[in-house]
Each structure stands twice: as C-alpha cells, then as structure tokens.
Amino acid sequence: MTDSLRDHPFASAPVPASPRSERPSLEVSFIVCTRDRAAVLEACIASIQTACRAHAAFAAELVVVDNGSRDGTSKRLAGIAETSDIPVTAVSEPRPGLAAARNAGLARARGRVLVFIDDDCKLDRDYLRDLERHYRSGEKWLIRGGRVELGDARDLPFTIKRCEARERLTPAVHPGGFVLGCNMTMHRDVAARIGPFDERFGAGGPLRSAEDTDYLVRAMLLGMPVEYVPDMTVLHHHGRRDRKSIDRLHRDYSLGNGALCLKHVRHAPWLLRHVYWSARAAFKELAGRPRFDRDLDLSHWPIVVMNLAGAARFALLVMMGWPKRLPLRQDRQASEANAEARAR
C-alpha cells in the first residue's frame, strides 16, 4: 500500500493497529527512509527480512518512506511488498528532508518498539534477538541505540560506533554520535511523548544534520535516558572513500550541532561547553596539538566555524518563522514531564 502524507502530525496517543494487518499484535516497526537509492535499499530490506525470519516469533513490520525518489523506488517497493513475508507499508513523503521522512514513518508505524534504520545499512541476523533481550526488562522510557560497523572495508571509518561497553549519555559527553540515527530504537510511547522530529534539522533540511541528536537532547530534557548497547548491530555501507566527502559531512554535522546549541541554550546550556572545548582544541592545533581526527586528517577549525554558521542559520530560520508549524513541546513541558518520567 502507498500513502501520501502532507499533513501528518504524529499523534500524542499510540496509533492503533490497522484492521488490515495480518498480525494482530506487532512488536516492532522498522522505519527506513530513502531517496533515489533503490539498489542499496533492496539490500537493506533483504537484511531486515532475514533478521525477521531468524526470530519469527517477534512479530515485525517494515515501513519504508520514499522521500521524493525519481529512480523507480516506488515501483520496486510495490514489488517487494507483494512478495514479502513480513508486512511492508510504502509511504510517499514528497516534502524534502530526512526529518520529514522520519515523521511520516512515525505516523504509519504500528509496532510497540520503533527501530530507525538507514537505507544504506544492513541488519545483523541476530538483531531482533538482541532487541528483544534489551526491551524484555520492561524499561521503556529511554532511547536506545546499537553498534554500527563498517559494511565495506573500502569505506572510510566515519559514521560508525564501535564501543564495547554499554553506557548512558551524560552532559559531559557531546550527544552527537552517541546514538546514531541509522540504528536508533525507542518504545512508541517515548516517540509520542517527545513528538515529531524537528524538520529544520537533518539531511535535506536547511540545517543539513542533527535531527537525531536533537531528538536525544529532547529526550534528556524530558528526563529520559539515552543508552548505547554494544550489540543490536547494523553494517553501514556509507560509500564514502575519499577525504573530500568525509570533510563535507564533517562540516554538515558541525552546522547542525551549532544550531542545536542555540535551540537548546536555555534548557541545555551544557551543550555550550562542547563548543568551548572545540574552540580551545582548535587554537591548540596551532601549537601542534592533536587534530580532531588524525587518521582522517580532520581539524577542529571547521567544527568551530560551522558551529557559528549553524547558530546563525537557526536564528535566521526562527526570525523567518520557518517552518510555520513545529509541534515541539519540550520547552514548556520539560519540568513536569521530567518528574513524571522519573516516577515511572
């Protein structure tokens, strides 16, 4: 099935299961957003189907959001849906931007647990086994992300997460990259409480990145932990094999993070410490101190410059009133929601 979602505020109450569903109780919804990447998308979907067959007792569905593709993605999705052994819902979201696409996926997902996977990633066969083990504890008021490994050794080691220890995010650690948006999970009630992704952020949006980092910060402001676990593994086939492409992504991430600091300066002033530390490290580079990433030859200076540019762009977007409607509720609800989440 294909749905067009131009106006789709993610409801604060859970979306009820569709009566057309073949499975009365869905445990997990995989949400994959894509644009003009039909070839890699098919490999991603195949890996999800394999993981679901390996853990068939854990009822799952797949929601694929086509964010304005022009490469025949919709036709391929229709064919996949016809033959898939797990329910597949294809959603058309023509408004550009990863955050808009994620919101369209949120509006259609019916599972108890929501799993965001990027279209250039492949799921480990045991992903659902790991996911079920972590959520079996009954603790649902958190965001949890898993391991992200390189899918191709020829790709440069960027946008991966290989830590061996289970840990939770604190203000002492920059939230960017702590949990990667290509492998991010949460209970549907968590998503309902936090609300939609901020569509100013993310690839394809004016701030280019950080829609996932913004979501983590908003969770923390509501008193919800953000946890990384060293399993729940995906393989990231990002395809970036030259320093120029990595440098461009590095700048985009820094642009989004600068906007993030200004957006949350009132309720999360601890983000400014990371800007200060980056600026201090940049000046120390002039005296021969280590760069941000010596292996990839990335400097701290683009972080500082793009942080400032991101803050300026965010301020401009606010003054322009773009977008016109942003149902972001954490600023006025943080205190009471924090107390409620802790009580649970």
Side-chain angles (χ1 to χ4, degrees), residues 7-193:
D7 297 308
H8 57 275
F10 183 50
S12 58
V15 179
S18 166
R20 294 173 291 175
S21 173
E22 296 177 2
R23 299 180 181 184
S25 178
L26 285 167
E27 296 293 334
V28 60
S29 293
F30 290 101
I31 300 173
V32 179
C33 303
T34 190
R35 178 182 170 88
D36 291 333
R37 300 172 89 173
V40 296
L41 175 64
E42 289 191 32
C44 172
I45 292 175
S47 74
I48 293 173
Q49 291 170 327
T50 298
C52 290
R53 293 186 201 108
H55 201 61
F58 206 51
E61 70 167 352
L62 173 59
V63 178
V64 183
V65 183
D66 180 2
N67 196 206
S69 297
R70 294 168 293 180
D71 64 347
T73 291
S74 59
K75 182 179 291 187
R76 293 199 190 189
L77 276 176
I80 290 170
E82 287 282 335
T83 60
S84 177
D85 50 1
I86 64 171
V88 177
T89 299
V91 179
S92 174
E93 177 46 270
R95 295 179 306 127
L98 179 56
R102 290 195 192 278
N103 286 336
L106 281 175
R108 292 294 295 139
R110 297 170 293 134
R112 181 175 61 92
V113 176
L114 310 175
V115 181
F116 289 94
I117 302 292
D118 281 2
D119 60 359
D120 57 358
C121 291
K122 293 181 181 179
L123 233 60
D124 180 80
R125 179 183 176 87
D126 293 326
Y127 189 95
L128 279 173
R129 183 194 65 186
D130 297 334
L131 181 78
E132 183 181 26
R133 184 179 67 255
H134 289 300
Y135 279 93
R136 193 185 297 149
S137 67
E139 183 182 15
K140 73 176 184 179
W141 294 104
L142 81 169
I143 291 179
R144 179 178 285 124
R147 190 183 193 93
V148 180
E149 288 280 3
L150 276 182
D152 191 322
R154 294 173 295 176
D155 295 346
L156 292 173
F158 204 63
T159 59
I160 56 175
K161 176 89 176 188
R162 290 170 163 168
C163 298
E164 297 292 340
R166 183 172 184 164
E167 55 186 347
R168 291 196 170 184
L169 181 61
T170 70
V173 178
H174 193 284
F178 185 84
V179 163
L180 296 178
C182 65
N183 187 6
M184 182 170 67
T185 75
M186 67 195 75
H187 195 282
R188 66 180 299 104
D189 290 347
V190 168
R193 180 177 293 278

Side-chain angles (χ1 to χ4, degrees), residues 311-332:
R313 185 171 296 187
F314 181 83
L316 180 61
L317 291 171
V318 171
M319 288 188 291
M320 293 172 58
W322 191 95
K324 298 300 182 184
R325 180 169 58 88
L326 266 178
L328 303 177
R329 303 164 297 163
Q330 79 278 8
D331 283 352
R332 66 175 181 271

Side-chain angles (χ1 to χ4, degrees), residues 98-99 102 116 118 143 159 169 175-184 186 194 197-198 201-203 208-220 226 253 256-257 260 264:
L98 179 56
R102 290 195 192 278
F116 289 94
D118 281 2
I143 291 179
T159 59
L169 181 61
F178 185 84
V179 163
L180 296 178
C182 65
N183 187 6
M184 182 170 67
M186 67 195 75
I194 298 173
F197 287 85
D198 187 335
F201 292 86
R208 301 183 193 169
S209 68
E211 88 294 337
D212 48 357
T213 309
D214 174 66
Y215 217 71
L216 303 185
V217 173
R218 290 162 60 192
M220 294 181 71
V226 175
Y253 285 166
N257 285 331
L260 189 78
H264 295 291

Side-chain angles (χ1 to χ4, degrees), residues 258-331:
L260 189 78
C261 288
L262 185 57
K263 175 183 175 180
H264 295 291
V265 66
R266 179 181 175 189
H267 294 283
W270 48 268
L271 289 170
L272 295 176
R273 286 184 295 184
H274 302 289
V275 177
Y276 165 73
W277 290 334
S278 293
R280 186 175 65 174
F283 280 105
K284 286 184 176 180
E285 277 186 27
L286 300 178
R289 297 294 292 274
R291 295 168 71 81
F292 175 75
D293 189 315
R294 283 176 289 186
D295 294 334
L296 295 175
D297 194 30
L298 297 176
S299 169
H300 288 92
W301 280 106
I303 299 176
V304 176
V305 172
M306 297 306 289
N307 277 175
L308 294 173
R313 185 171 296 187
F314 181 83
L316 180 61
L317 291 171
V318 171
M319 288 188 291
M320 293 172 58
W322 191 95
K324 298 300 182 184
R325 180 169 58 88
L326 266 178
L328 303 177
R329 303 164 297 163
Q330 79 278 8
D331 283 352

Side-chain angles (χ1 to χ4, degrees), residues 191-263:
R193 180 177 293 278
I194 298 173
F197 287 85
D198 187 335
E199 295 180 7
R200 294 171 290 196
F201 292 86
L207 298 172
R208 301 183 193 169
S209 68
E211 88 294 337
D212 48 357
T213 309
D214 174 66
Y215 217 71
L216 303 185
V217 173
R218 290 162 60 192
M220 294 181 71
L221 290 176
L222 291 170
M224 299 183 200
V226 175
E227 180 178 75
Y228 165 80
V229 293
D231 47 23
M232 279 173 38
T233 303
V234 303
L235 303 176
H236 196 182
H237 294 258
H238 63 71
R240 297 179 180 90
R241 297 171 185 174
D242 61 274
R243 190 193 175 282
K244 185 177 180 180
S245 63
I246 295 296
D247 185 64
R248 183 166 55 248
L249 189 61
H250 179 51
R251 291 173 180 271
D252 285 350
Y253 285 166
S254 300
L255 182 82
N257 285 331
L260 189 78
C261 288
L262 185 57
K263 175 183 175 180

